[in-house]
Amino acid sequence: MAPWWAARGAPDLGRRSRPDPPDPRTSPAMHEYRTHRCADLRADDVDSTVRVAGWMGVVRDHGGLVFVDLRDQSGVVQVVLPEHDDAIHALVRGLGRESVVSVTGTVVARPEGTRNDNLATGDVEVAATSIDVLGRATQVLPFELGTTANVREETRLRHRFLDLRTERLQRNLALRAAVIQRIRARMVANDFLEVQTPILTGSSPEGARDYLVPSRRYPGHFYALPQAPQQFKQLLMVGGVERYFQIAPCFRDEDGRADRSPGEFYQLDLEMAFATQEDVFAVVEDVMDDVFGAFSDRERTPTPYPRLTYAEAMLRYGTDKPDLRNPLVISDLTDVFAATDFRAFAGKVVRAIRIPGGAAQGRSWFDKMTDFATERGASGLAWLKVEDTSAPTGPIAKFLDEAAVAGMVEGAGLEAGDAIVFLADEAAHTAATLAGIVRAELGVRLELLEPDVYRFCWIVDFPMYEWDDERETWDFSHNPFSMPQGGAEALDGDDPGAVVAYQYDIVCNGYELTSGAVRNHDPELMLKAFAVAGYGPEVVEEKFPALYHAFQFGAPPHAGAAPGLDRILMLLADEVLIRDVIAFPMTNGGQDLLMGAPGEVAPQQLRDLHLALDLPKPTD
């Protein structure tokens, strides 16, 4: 039997994958600390003299018969103290919870009726003959390790070394290790070469804020931690490494959220020379299907994954990260309301969501949904009940004539007994986004999400550019190194917003798991693409000197992607917060409470780096 923390599909890191421990009955001397791990012991070890070591958990005193739960990474074994050994009893009573001890004793079968089927070692216990204290716990635990659900996250992160002892995080760390091992094996089997790229590099505009590292040897100059190995992996393609991958750390100075760790994260970074978008899809689908199949019993979307264009996703789901477990679909009813007298929708883009069976909901339910929508930025939420498809009822029914009702019923696919909600805004993107937020909330409130499944899809054909209100110009919407569909001719049009790129994401259950693109490997086309976004040749040569220079020595067509390892693990572990699949995460505010980072440094360190602080003045 595999230990409790071994992930499904993971190598069994317990007894069977380790060398057999020395037999204490024949060995000249026992190991100083242990002969077995706690969860290794089984019924066939009965009558063996063993030594186990670990952390003392619960101590149960049953009127002179004292039991101790002893735990190491493999699991738990019960230790029973000798009834009449006052010295051992006094020693155990004097120890704090979570003290580290080594126990020598004999493996015995548990008495009839006391077996514990919840433990791998539930058939046996260790009758202690001696106990050695290896690490005394002198502090009171800040929280109970078995019940951390209601513990403040700041407390858990400040004492992460204790949090890591819990079964849940031990299991998640084992899962993480096993997933990485399997990904590596799969990539090697697909003829990819693992290459490590630099951590200290130059700053470049790639969409997020850099973490900067001042140089001591070159005053006034800075390294940057890579937001991704983007340029290096493209340089590897130029260098003749045709299939590259690594489990890459990435660093971005951005705020955290439930599905994004602030500061740093890990991704499976891959790039392929002489490859099309379809080649990348085949490799990434193979890896994703293999990993999710190995580590979960849940149903998953079969390969090849369905594809949605960015435009389709925004129209039907109001987001480029649609959760396809939710059956609700958004409809565009702008034309229907353009011909009505409903002034609130006049001149606006109108999005609607059909709610099957929604006519059964009461007025207060719709009022609560309206409150939700307005709290998220909508000007309001209109709604109708459709007990009869020819005569809907509700606050805006009086504004709809027979033609509008027919258009609404057809456009949204309404049936008798349904309800429909509407959102409107002057901007199409805002209307779509608001409708997507409401769609997601409806799926949760109505319990419509398909349970215990992984629903994958590709989002393709992202727009190359988007309007930047702050700069009042066009800028890259996704990745500046992407190939525009249609090549140079596509960049000659009057509307940069109409340019579509070979950019793609994998989405699963509402989370973006993979992002990638076919790369622009032509230096002249690269200059032209950056010019549309307002960057002159001098900017390209200054910010991307290696890439621009290398492309002039013959660059193969290439494409790649970067599945996010932490998000994959969050889904496989069924965790809500990404921090629970990371050994030492930061808070949402980017603080490491365990190590006290970021922190102040000594004045001498600043002088060595030729830096002076210009701190903001405190406000009243």
Side-chain angles (χ1 to χ4, degrees), residues 277-573:
Q277 177 173 280
E278 297 301 321
D279 296 319
V280 175
F281 285 8
V283 169
V284 175
E285 286 181 356
D286 175 69
V287 172
M288 300 290 274
D289 188 62
D290 177 68
V291 168
F292 277 84
F295 294 99
S296 177
D297 290 322
R298 290 185 177 183
E299 179 189 340
R300 63 192 186 279
T301 304
T303 59
Y305 297 152
R307 303 178 188 184
L308 288 167
T309 67
Y310 172 83
E312 290 172 329
M314 292 303 297
L315 177 61
R316 300 182 63 187
Y317 304 110
T319 176
D320 58 2
K321 295 178 279 292
D323 187 345
L324 298 186
R325 296 173 302 168
N326 184 345
L328 299 180
V329 177
I330 300 167
S331 301
D332 181 7
L333 297 185
T334 303
D335 291 343
V336 170
F337 280 89
T340 70
D341 295 328
F342 189 39
R343 293 183 180 179
F345 285 1
K348 294 182 179 179
V349 175
V350 181
R351 296 287 191 263
I353 306 168
R354 173 201 171 209
I355 306 173
Q361 301 293 339
R363 175 67 182 255
S364 64
W365 185 89
F366 288 99
D367 288 344
K368 290 176 183 177
M369 280 305 307
T370 300
D371 291 342
F372 171 84
T374 54
E375 288 169 2
R376 272 36 176 205
S379 57
L381 183 75
W383 56 272
L384 291 170
K385 293 185 179 184
V386 191
E387 284 98 346
D388 181 344
T389 55
S390 63
T393 60
I396 67 169
K398 61 185 178 182
F399 297 105
L400 304 180
D401 59 21
E402 185 176 333
V405 169
M408 178 186 69
V409 169
E410 181 180 359
L414 293 172
E415 299 178 1
D418 291 346
I420 185 169
V421 295
F422 308 87
L423 296 107
D425 197 271
E426 288 84 358
H429 187 272
T430 303
T433 300
L434 291 171
I437 293 171
V438 170
R439 170 186 175 269
E441 183 67 13
L442 287 170
V444 172
R445 293 196 183 192
L446 297 173
E447 299 181 348
L448 298 176
L449 270 64
E450 191 179 7
D452 299 324
V453 296
Y454 294 117
R455 291 297 176 221
F456 291 88
C457 70
W458 286 101
I459 307 298
V460 299
D461 299 350
F462 280 84
M464 184 89 171
Y465 304 99
E466 64 184 2
W467 181 255
D468 186 331
D469 290 326
E470 185 175 331
R471 293 176 57 220
E472 295 187 346
T473 186
W474 291 96
D475 205 349
F476 295 105
S477 63
H478 200 274
N479 187 312
F481 306 106
S482 302
M483 179 69 77
Q485 295 187 22
E489 292 182 5
L491 303 177
D492 291 332
D494 296 329
D495 181 13
V499 180
V500 175
Y502 285 109
Q503 297 171 337
Y504 37 81
D505 289 352
I506 282 183
V507 175
C508 179
N509 293 5
Y511 294 104
E512 176 196 316
L513 294 190
T514 301
S515 183
V518 175
R519 315 302 180 188
N520 184 346
H521 67 283
D522 183 328
E524 295 306 314
L525 185 55
M526 184 178 177
L527 290 178
K528 191 169 185 177
F530 273 85
V532 172
Y535 301 102
E538 69 284 353
V539 176
V540 177
E541 295 182 36
E542 177 189 353
K543 295 298 184 181
F544 312 106
L547 208 57
Y548 179 68
H549 185 61
F551 282 176
Q552 297 176 58
F553 288 83
H558 54 283
L565 179 63
D566 302 314
R567 287 184 185 168
I568 290 172
L569 287 162
M570 188 177 72
L571 287 178
L572 287 173

Side-chain angles (χ1 to χ4, degrees), residues 80-373:
V80 57
L81 304 187
E83 286 190 61
H84 304 295
D85 193 326
D86 294 340
I88 287 185
H89 283 239
L91 173 66
V92 170
R93 290 192 182 99
L95 291 174
R97 286 275 301 278
E98 293 297 300
S99 289
V100 181
V101 299
S102 178
V103 177
T104 303
T106 302
V107 180
V108 297
R110 290 200 186 194
E112 193 66 31
T114 64
R115 288 184 57 207
N116 186 345
D117 293 333
N118 295 322
L119 290 180
T121 58
D123 292 331
V124 298
E125 58 193 12
V126 176
T129 57
S130 66
I131 296 179
D132 295 319
V133 180
L134 305 179
R136 189 179 295 270
T138 60
Q139 299 292 317
V140 176
L141 291 174
F143 54 85
E144 289 294 323
L145 302 190
T147 56
T148 60
N150 296 320
V151 180
R152 292 183 61 198
E153 187 180 36
E154 290 81 3
T155 303
R156 289 178 56 201
L157 293 181
R158 198 178 299 278
H159 300 87
R160 189 63 167 185
F161 50 88
L162 293 177
D163 206 18
L164 286 172
R165 297 180 190 176
T166 61
E167 177 180 338
R168 173 185 167 203
L169 290 194
Q170 286 282 315
R171 182 172 57 245
N172 287 352
L173 289 184
L175 173 65
R176 186 182 187 97
V179 167
I180 290 174
Q181 284 180 322
R182 193 170 187 102
I183 287 174
R184 277 201 166 99
R186 200 71 176 182
M187 295 302 291
V188 170
N190 281 324
D191 201 28
F192 281 77
L193 183 69
E194 185 170 11
V195 181
Q196 286 73 45
T197 54
I199 297 299
L200 290 177
T201 182
S203 177
S204 64
E206 293 186 30
R209 293 186 184 90
D210 285 327
Y211 278 105
L212 300 177
V213 181
S215 170
R216 175 182 59 83
R217 298 182 62 186
Y218 302 97
H221 292 70
F222 295 81
Y223 300 102
L225 304 183
Q227 295 184 29
Q230 181 66 51
Q231 295 186 65
F232 287 112
K233 67 179 179 180
Q234 291 192 249
L235 290 169
L236 286 171
M237 300 298 103
V238 182
V241 179
E242 295 185 9
R243 287 195 162 204
Y244 139 91
F245 87 99
Q246 71 171 313
I247 307 297
C250 303
F251 306 89
R252 297 178 186 177
D253 187 3
E254 56 189 4
D255 296 335
R257 59 190 187 203
D259 67 331
R260 182 174 68 197
S261 179
E264 61 184 288
F265 61 91
Y266 281 79
Q267 64 188 28
L268 165 61
D269 202 56
L270 65 97
E271 198 77 10
M272 305 165 62
F274 306 106
T276 65
Q277 177 173 280
E278 297 301 321
D279 296 319
V280 175
F281 285 8
V283 169
V284 175
E285 286 181 356
D286 175 69
V287 172
M288 300 290 274
D289 188 62
D290 177 68
V291 168
F292 277 84
F295 294 99
S296 177
D297 290 322
R298 290 185 177 183
E299 179 189 340
R300 63 192 186 279
T301 304
T303 59
Y305 297 152
R307 303 178 188 184
L308 288 167
T309 67
Y310 172 83
E312 290 172 329
M314 292 303 297
L315 177 61
R316 300 182 63 187
Y317 304 110
T319 176
D320 58 2
K321 295 178 279 292
D323 187 345
L324 298 186
R325 296 173 302 168
N326 184 345
L328 299 180
V329 177
I330 300 167
S331 301
D332 181 7
L333 297 185
T334 303
D335 291 343
V336 170
F337 280 89
T340 70
D341 295 328
F342 189 39
R343 293 183 180 179
F345 285 1
K348 294 182 179 179
V349 175
V350 181
R351 296 287 191 263
I353 306 168
R354 173 201 171 209
I355 306 173
Q361 301 293 339
R363 175 67 182 255
S364 64
W365 185 89
F366 288 99
D367 288 344
K368 290 176 183 177
M369 280 305 307
T370 300
D371 291 342
F372 171 84

Side-chain angles (χ1 to χ4, degrees), residues 58-62 65-69 78-81 125:
V58 176
V59 177
R60 296 180 298 279
D61 191 335
H62 298 288
L65 196 59
V66 179
F67 299 94
V68 178
D69 288 342
Q78 179 171 278
V79 174
V80 57
L81 304 187
E125 58 193 12

